[in-house]
Amino acid sequence: MTVSTRLLRGLAGGALAVTSAGVLLGGAAPAALADAPPPGLSIQISNDGDQVSPDSDTTYTVEFRNQGSEAVGGRVTLTAPGYGTVTKAEPEAKLTDTTASWDDITVEPGASVKRTATVRIGTIPKNLTRVTTLAGFYLSDDSAAPPVVLSSDADRIPGVAEPGSSPVPKSTAGSSAEWWLWAGVAGALLVVAAIAYAALLLIRRRRRRAASHAAHRGRPTDPDGRTGTAAQTVDDSRADLAARDSHRV
């Protein structure tokens, strides 16, 4: 996350810079800011993403602009957090464990300069929620001199909650949502299958009853109200009796 700052006067041994996100507090800030900087100066620091992980390398780009009416000379300095190490700078710069300084820079009115540095982030203290790296422009080569403009890049730390929030890791949230989705689909399919099975049983019962009634209505009946095989048996018995009577006569 890139945060550009405009210069404000230093206060009582601390550094105060108003940013787009509010007031920048803490970090590896210089002791104070310059009291009367030339007008029209600004500086910006950024990297490729908005997250920085422990034990990783990240490359920062620093851009200093002069929108004033006069040329300005000085130095640009990048300051990494105490748990970071500056490993490389382009173009060549003076390096310490946590700083990269490009000296003897002159910027004409309406012009700008860019510098890059790679920082190796080590073990991040557990009490931090962001990794903050600073960039400043100094009118003097004196290391104790204050910067005239200051900027910061404050990146989130994966898996670390921001103050006032309790985020769920993305993978966990996605897995939970997918589980509930599939559970809902499976439940709906079971309900549909049960309804279809019940309807099939009902249709079969109705067909059986209809066939039974149709068969019953189609069988022959005798005067006594008997049907089918029973009526035929009675008729055969009566025929046998008549034949016996004729033989006797």
Side-chain angles (χ1 to χ4, degrees), residues 56-154:
S56 66
D57 293 322
T58 183
T59 298
Y60 294 94
T61 299
V62 179
E63 183 175 11
F64 173 70
R65 292 180 178 274
N66 179 11
Q67 296 176 321
S69 58
E70 298 180 358
V72 175
R75 62 185 171 91
V76 171
T77 298
L78 176 143
T79 304
Y83 47 85
T85 303
V86 180
T87 59
K88 183 174 62 175
E90 293 290 341
E92 187 177 352
K94 292 180 180 179
L95 301 183
T96 68
D97 286 344
T98 58
T99 65
S101 295
W102 295 270
D103 299 337
D104 301 325
I105 292 178
T106 300
V107 183
E108 299 295 330
S112 65
V113 294
K114 286 186 178 181
R115 299 292 187 265
T116 62
T118 300
V119 177
R120 176 69 178 176
I121 301 298
T123 301
I124 302 174
K126 294 183 178 180
N127 63 322
L128 297 183
T129 59
R130 293 207 175 231
V131 173
T132 302
T133 301
L134 304 178
F137 183 78
Y138 300 76
L139 293 176
S140 171
D141 290 336
D142 183 0
S143 60
V148 294
V149 284
L150 183 67
S151 179
S152 69
D153 182 276

Side-chain angles (χ1 to χ4, degrees), residues 29-70:
L33 297 175
D35 290 337
L41 304 183
S42 65
I43 195 167
Q44 187 177 51
I45 180 173
S46 63
N47 60 2
D48 292 336
D50 61 356
Q51 293 188 357
V52 173
S53 302
D55 301 319
S56 66
D57 293 322
T58 183
T59 298
Y60 294 94
T61 299
V62 179
E63 183 175 11
F64 173 70
R65 292 180 178 274
N66 179 11
Q67 296 176 321
S69 58
E70 298 180 358

